[in-house]
Amino acid sequence: MNDWNPLSIADFQRRLGAGEVGPLDWWDACREMIEAKETGLGAWACLAPRPSETLPTKGHDLPPLLGVPVGIKDIIETRDLPTTWGTRYQRLEHAPTDAAIVTRLASLGALVMGKTVTTEFAYFQPSGTRNPHDPGRTPGGSSSGSAAAVAAGMVPVALGTQTVGSIIRPASYCGVVGFKPTHGTLPLSGVRALAPSLDTLGWFTRTVEDTRTVFQALTGSEGLGHRVSLAGTRIGLCPIPGSLVLAPEVCAALELASQRLAAEGAEIIEIPADPARDELTAHQHVVLAYEAARELASERILFRDEMSGALEALLEEGERIPLKAYQEARIASEHARQRMTEIFSGGIDFLIAPSATGAAPEGLESTGDPLYSRAWTLLGMPCINLPIYWSEEGLPVGVQLIANRFQDVHLLAVSNRILN
Amino acid sequence: MNDWNPLSIADFQRRLGAGEVGPLDWWDACREMIEAKETGLGAWACLAPRPSETLPTKGHDLPPLLGVPVGIKDIIETRDLPTTWGTRYQRLEHAPTDAAIVTRLASLGALVMGKTVTTEFAYFQPSGTRNPHDPGRTPGGSSSGSAAAVAAGMVPVALGTQTVGSIIRPASYCGVVGFKPTHGTLPLSGVRALAPSLDTLGWFTRTVEDTRTVFQALTGSEGLGHRVSLAGTRIGLCPIPGSLVLAPEVCAALELASQRLAAEGAEIIEIPADPARDELTAHQHVVLAYEAARELASERILFRDEMSGALEALLEEGERIPLKAYQEARIASEHARQRMTEIFSGGIDFLIAPSATGAAPEGLESTGDPLYSRAWTLLGMPCINLPIYWSEEGLPVGVQLIANRFQDVHLLAVSNRILN
């Protein structure tokens, strides 16, 4: 098994094209790893049967993700595997069609390994997944199983979604790369909506390299070369909210990232704290609660007695928010997008910020605090968690590198420089 | 039957509260009208059974849409009625839950009359519905059945969706009020996505008054008073594209609207044509094609042989659009939103523009040209079609009144002034 884990997708494709490995070999190795580790982890809601052997075997025009095993977060519908949305009360054995992203991955040659555990409807109620670095701690959420499965070497790629901090925070807690593209980049058909102004499909990998490969395959984008140097790049340090004292391990992670960036020739510029920016975390919650109450209207009535208190409280709160308050939150977020664009036009190339308030907290009853993702999700900006720092207890702590909207390609071109 | 048709929702609620009519009386009258007219019209994909008699009958706290029959466009999923998305090749007998908007309408007391005919996946391929004003003409699309059903007096309210021009154009062709709120106002869970950056849920009614009642009920918005006078209001005349010669009946409709507005004390200001604005119609098509190809990825593979040529061509075109071109179209639309906001800040209160390129064209093989809706849909602005003019052939021609984003309440407060 260990032969496989260090492999990148690109390595695997190369060996596949040369006929050195078969298209199901990676899948088989991953399944072995799942059998060895799943009992203690709880990352999987269900597992797929072994794919058929009829995949193309070698050649030059192989699909770019041929033979790459992927985990699918269980708020994403599938035709051949059940979908439960992280609930014990709603279950769809066979969706009428696969979600668009699942079809897209399959057409690129990827192999579905199974559905990964999610919190209830991708909100806060945990479903029992443990952190691979410490089984007494949460892996974060809502994409709990996807982050844990990638961290445990069970799959090289797993899909997540982020509405609050559901990709970046679990990636930080689990020590993997987590990427949230610009809002609207990937199709959400067949993905359960929580708050459509915020819901964003992304994924986890072990390396930036693999995240780039997946992005290139999914979007067909070209010219995705690595930046060889960051000389002259200006990187703004911009936690939102900026008015809080950071935890020591978060300071250490940001410090380490700054040192690496400076060593690469980049200039780190502290963006002054701004009360108007701090308010974005509150606006994000208004948009979340308002939209969730409306999108989950049917589930709220059908499953009133089974729904968690946390979700019920969110929906009740959202139901009471007046249209005008919701509109004001959306208008504030659009103004903030314009002000962000001004920061970038003013000579800042990227931003760095905490991925989470600290290392994964103890216990499984909470998935941790998404505070440092709220504003970026509201602004729809692409974010990548980079697992840069390990605490004294051996727990990972990431930082997020952030670009302006639609600058995903540029963000992925430099992200490796922080980890190398 | 004719006793019922002039009724507004507010009148009905009043009579219901006073015990003068029963909660199923309107539903029964509508069903009679459907039985009389449906054969020649083809507005309905399926009809619901008569609701149970257990509705509350009278009192002061009746739900605001109690007893109001509504048509549900057949790209909106329902648990008790089949959904076909305007196709002959995909059919879901029972969705796992009702779409969020259907649950919301039901909780407000509305009664589902049935599913109204839509074009294939809400794109251009017609499904045979005829225009109530001339059976040889299209009712427009994609919300063909909803517009025709309201125009024929079969239901007072029917849901539609607009991704290109699917509410405003059929409303104009059928001579009814059609309202597309600001993008993102209503929940789309259970509504088939075509292009999420554009997809907007709205509805048709016979009167502005009823559209206001529905908006108020759905959004809980208060202070929705009618404006008693338009004195001092500045209304910009702003067709996009602005570089084309308008059809005579469209000129006549705009002329009449301008006269009415001027008589009310409003000032009409011609907004100069702008090539950058004209390009929005092309950007809208890029966003539509790119997103549709990705959202409909599963259907494209599953139903390759059955899909219409029109839809297949759109998806093929979209598949070939590079990420960069798509991002540029979205960035252009955001710049245009900012420029629009500047026009409004510069003293313009509302805009008027053509709803369509002319009266409903002859034949059923096309649903007409959505040209004059493309930009407004891309910009996410609230639009209402006002049926103001009837051509010499007796065909309706509407104009659309448009507000800046999030100004839905203000738009609905003045719309009646053009029709009175």
Side-chain angles (χ1 to χ4, degrees):
Chain A
M1 297 191 291
N2 288 330
D3 282 343
W4 287 102
N5 263 330
L7 263 186
S8 72
I9 297 171
D11 282 337
F12 181 72
Q13 299 305 309
R14 206 154 33 233
R15 292 173 66 181
L16 202 57
E20 296 167 22
V21 294
L24 292 185
D25 286 0
W26 207 354
W27 197 93
D28 290 337
C30 285
R31 182 54 66 94
E32 262 188 71
M33 189 67 90
I34 291 170
E35 277 162 18
K37 292 189 176 180
E38 170 61 5
T39 306
L41 203 63
W44 296 89
C46 67
L47 291 168
R50 191 170 187 262
S52 71
E53 304 266 9
T54 57
L55 296 167
T57 49
K58 57 180 184 173
H60 292 295
D61 283 330
L62 296 178
L65 299 180
L66 181 63
V68 177
V70 295
I72 308 292
K73 183 178 180 177
D74 197 28
I75 61 158
I76 301 173
E77 292 182 12
T78 41
R79 221 154 64 118
D80 300 328
L81 294 173
T83 306
T84 73
W85 301 275
T87 72
R88 281 189 216 93
Y89 47 82
Q90 192 175 24
R91 183 182 174 93
L92 183 61
E93 286 305 322
H94 302 283
T97 59
D98 278 327
I101 190 69
V102 174
T103 295
R104 180 80 180 144
L105 283 167
S107 73
L108 295 166
L111 305 175
V112 171
M113 177 58 72
K115 307 289 282 285
T116 58
V117 168
T118 171
T119 61
E120 181 193 29
F121 289 120
Y123 190 54
F124 290 165
Q125 186 69 26
S127 299
T129 308
R130 293 170 183 277
N131 191 310
H133 301 284
D134 178 347
R137 292 176 190 264
T138 177
S142 65
S143 312
S144 318
S146 285
V150 170
M154 292 171 160
V155 271
V157 182
L159 293 180
T161 57
Q162 179 156 319
T163 304
V164 188
S166 290
I167 293 174
I168 297 301
R169 173 166 100 271
S172 179
Y173 290 174
C174 291
V176 297
V177 173
F179 179 55
K180 177 188 89 70
T182 300
H183 182 254
T185 300
L186 295 176
L188 289 171
S189 284
V191 181
R192 173 71 241 180
L194 179 57
S197 296
L198 308 170
D199 296 341
T200 311
L201 197 49
W203 59 87
F204 303 87
T205 60
R206 284 186 296 261
T207 64
V208 171
E209 182 64 39
D210 279 357
T211 277
R212 286 158 44 89
T213 302
V214 172
F215 184 82
Q216 191 153 6
L218 282 176
T219 65
S221 50
E222 291 161 20
L224 208 59
H226 274 302
R227 283 277 287 276
V228 286
S229 156
L230 292 182
T233 304
R234 290 159 59 92
I235 298 185
L237 177 60
C238 187
I240 302 179
S243 51
L244 299 181
V245 177
L246 298 175
E249 69 266 32
V250 176
C251 284
L254 285 168
E255 183 60 31
L256 185 57
S258 299
Q259 284 169 13
R260 295 252 179 93
L261 290 165
E264 293 272 342
E267 185 183 351
I268 309 292
I269 293 145
E270 274 199 44
I271 309 282
D274 177 345
R277 268 207 305 272
D278 283 7
E279 283 169 17
L280 292 175
T281 61
H283 294 318
Q284 191 274 342
H285 184 73
V286 168
V287 172
L288 166 71
Y290 184 94
E291 293 188 2
R294 281 143 191 90
E295 296 293 343
L296 288 168
S298 299
E299 288 73 11
R300 191 176 173 209
I301 291 176
L302 281 174
F303 308 117
R304 187 179 290 276
D305 298 334
E306 294 120 308
M307 203 169 258
S308 74
L311 184 55
E312 176 59 25
L314 178 77
L315 303 186
E316 264 187 42
E317 181 189 350
E319 184 68 33
R320 286 194 306 266
I321 296 173
L323 174 67
K324 201 168 161 58
Y326 166 70
Q327 291 176 327
E328 282 166 2
R330 286 197 50 202
I331 290 167
S333 90
E334 298 193 2
H335 287 168
R337 286 180 185 193
Q338 289 172 35
R339 287 195 304 272
M340 264 307 152
T341 295
E342 286 159 19
I343 287 178
F344 284 94
S345 311
I348 296 289
D349 298 297
F350 303 100
L351 302 172
I352 53 170
S355 288
T357 54
E362 286 188 42
L364 301 180
E365 65 286 350
S366 155
T367 60
D369 188 343
L371 178 68
Y372 286 110
S373 278
R374 287 188 182 270
W376 310 115
T377 308
L378 183 68
L379 297 174
M381 295 165 71
C383 304
I384 187 167
N385 175 71
L386 301 168
I388 189 170
Y389 179 77
W390 263 256
S391 75
E392 285 172 19
E393 297 153 295
L395 296 173
V397 181
V399 298
Q400 50 183 330
L401 195 67
I402 303 156
N404 205 5
R405 294 168 74 229
F406 305 116
Q407 298 298 310
D408 307 64
V409 168
H410 298 292
L411 179 65
L412 294 178
V414 303
S415 295
N416 234 2
R417 310 307 301 177
I418 300 191
L419 294 181
N420 281 344
Chain B
M1 297 193 290
N2 288 331
D3 284 343
W4 286 99
N5 265 329
L7 261 188
S8 71
I9 296 171
D11 282 336
F12 181 72
Q13 299 305 309
R14 209 157 27 235
R15 291 173 64 179
L16 202 55
E20 297 167 22
V21 294
L24 293 184
D25 285 359
W26 206 354
W27 198 93
D28 290 336
C30 286
R31 183 54 66 94
E32 261 189 73
M33 188 68 91
I34 291 171
E35 276 161 20
K37 291 189 174 178
E38 170 61 6
T39 307
L41 202 62
W44 296 90
C46 68
L47 290 168
R50 189 169 188 264
S52 72
E53 303 267 10
T54 58
L55 295 167
T57 48
K58 58 180 182 171
H60 292 296
D61 282 330
L62 296 177
L65 299 181
L66 180 63
V68 178
V70 295
I72 308 292
K73 184 177 179 178
D74 197 26
I75 61 159
I76 300 172
E77 292 182 11
T78 40
R79 220 152 66 117
D80 300 328
L81 293 172
T83 306
T84 73
W85 302 274
T87 73
R88 281 189 217 91
Y89 47 82
Q90 193 176 22
R91 183 183 174 91
L92 183 62
E93 286 303 323
H94 302 282
T97 58
D98 279 327
I101 190 71
V102 174
T103 295
R104 179 81 179 142
L105 284 167
S107 73
L108 295 166
L111 304 175
V112 171
M113 177 58 71
K115 307 291 282 282
T116 58
V117 169
T118 171
T119 61
E120 180 192 31
F121 290 119
Y123 190 54
F124 289 166
Q125 187 68 28
S127 298
T129 308
R130 295 170 182 277
N131 191 310
H133 301 283
D134 177 347
R137 294 177 189 260
T138 177
S142 63
S143 313
S144 317
S146 286
V150 171
M154 293 169 159
V155 271
V157 182
L159 293 180
T161 58
Q162 178 155 319
T163 305
V164 188
S166 290
I167 293 174
I168 298 300
R169 173 166 100 273
S172 179
Y173 290 174
C174 291
V176 296
V177 172
F179 179 56
K180 178 187 89 67
T182 300
H183 181 255
T185 300
L186 294 176
L188 289 171
S189 284
V191 181
R192 172 72 240 180
L194 179 57
S197 296
L198 309 169
D199 296 342
T200 311
L201 198 49
W203 60 88
F204 302 87
T205 60
R206 285 187 296 259
T207 64
V208 171
E209 181 64 39
D210 279 355
T211 277
R212 287 159 43 90
T213 302
V214 172
F215 184 82
Q216 190 153 5
L218 282 175
T219 66
S221 51
E222 293 163 16
L224 209 60
H226 275 300
R227 284 274 287 273
V228 287
S229 157
L230 291 180
T233 304
R234 290 160 60 93
I235 297 185
L237 178 61
C238 186
I240 303 179
S243 51
L244 299 180
V245 176
L246 299 175
E249 69 267 33
V250 176
C251 286
L254 285 169
E255 182 60 32
L256 186 56
S258 300
Q259 284 169 12
R260 295 251 179 94
L261 290 166
E264 293 273 341
E267 186 183 352
I268 308 292
I269 293 147
E270 274 200 44
I271 309 283
D274 176 345
R277 265 205 310 268
D278 282 8
E279 283 169 16
L280 292 176
T281 60
H283 294 317
Q284 191 274 342
H285 185 74
V286 168
V287 172
L288 166 70
Y290 184 93
E291 294 188 2
R294 281 143 192 90
E295 296 294 342
L296 288 168
S298 299
E299 289 72 12
R300 192 178 172 206
I301 291 177
L302 281 174
F303 308 115
R304 189 177 290 277
D305 298 334
E306 295 118 306
M307 202 168 258
S308 74
L311 183 56
E312 177 57 27
L314 177 77
L315 303 186
E316 262 186 45
E317 181 189 352
E319 185 66 34
R320 286 194 307 267
I321 295 173
L323 175 65
K324 203 170 159 55
Y326 165 69
Q327 290 176 327
E328 283 166 3
R330 287 201 45 206
I331 290 168
S333 89
E334 297 194 2
H335 288 169
R337 286 181 184 192
Q338 288 172 35
R339 288 196 304 272
M340 262 310 150
T341 295
E342 287 159 18
I343 287 178
F344 284 93
S345 310
I348 295 289
D349 298 296
F350 303 99
L351 302 172
I352 53 170
S355 289
T357 56
E362 286 188 42
L364 300 181
E365 65 286 348
S366 155
T367 59
D369 188 343
L371 179 67
Y372 285 110
S373 279
R374 287 188 182 271
W376 310 115
T377 308
L378 183 68
L379 297 175
M381 294 164 71
C383 304
I384 188 167
N385 175 71
L386 300 168
I388 189 170
Y389 179 77
W390 263 255
S391 74
E392 285 173 18
E393 297 154 293
L395 296 171
V397 181
V399 298
Q400 51 184 329
L401 195 67
I402 302 157
N404 204 7
R405 294 169 72 231
F406 305 115
Q407 298 298 311
D408 307 63
V409 168
H410 298 292
L411 179 64
L412 295 178
V414 302
S415 294
N416 234 4
R417 309 307 301 177
I418 299 190
L419 293 181
N420 282 345

